Amino acid sequence: MGNAETFEKLELELRRGVVVLAVLSQLRAPRYGYELRQALVNKGMPIEEGTLYPLLRRLEAQGLLKSEWKIDEGPPRRYYALNASGRSLLRKLTESWQGMNDAIELLLKED
């Protein structure tokens, strides 16, 4: 396995570990799928539609999101937002992420 291939596989593992936190962080206010995807892209976390939509359905099934269809202007859109359980999980995951990030920064410092 070449270095580029190894890098790609390991980077994918890192991304899988943070994609839930990234998605939850952008659902503090209601967003529909495309809008959410664009918000993630604009903040440096691109995500494929084939990853995002199944993740949204899974998070909703786990009781972390609420969703509703809106037909105000344009085509019908399903909006997702955190519910109370989702907000609580976001706080816990954020604290955990920040602790791990602090540890990694210390580990990566050159002596």
Side-chain angles (χ1 to χ4, degrees):
M1 187 180 321
N3 284 340
E5 187 179 340
T6 299
F7 171 78
E8 288 175 15
K9 287 185 177 187
L10 293 174
E11 183 184 42
L12 184 59
E13 286 183 36
L14 286 173
R15 287 182 53 79
R16 282 185 186 134
V18 299
V19 72
V20 170
L21 178 57
V23 167
L24 293 176
S25 76
Q26 299 304 296
L27 290 175
R28 292 179 185 106
R31 293 183 190 255
Y32 61 95
Y34 180 78
E35 178 185 23
L36 171 59
R37 187 168 179 251
Q38 287 307 116
L40 291 165
V41 166
N42 292 341
K43 293 180 180 176
M45 183 60 98
I47 186 170
E48 297 295 323
E49 289 179 20
T51 299
L52 179 60
Y53 291 102
L55 176 59
L56 289 170
R57 288 189 294 275
R58 182 171 54 92
L59 293 172
E60 185 175 23
Q62 290 173 335
L64 302 170
L65 301 179
K66 58 185 175 183
S67 72
E68 66 177 321
W69 285 96
K70 291 188 181 180
I71 310 172
D72 299 337
E73 299 173 14
R77 293 184 172 132
R78 188 173 196 158
Y79 283 76
Y80 294 88
L82 297 175
N83 61 22
S85 295
R87 286 189 297 276
S88 176
L89 180 65
L90 175 58
R91 279 191 298 276
K92 290 176 185 175
L93 287 175
T94 299
E95 289 172 12
S96 180
W97 170 257
Q98 289 170 338
M100 286 186 277
N101 192 47
D102 290 346
I104 290 294
E105 283 186 28
L106 288 173
L107 291 166
L108 294 178
K109 270 188 182 175
E110 293 187 32
D111 294 326

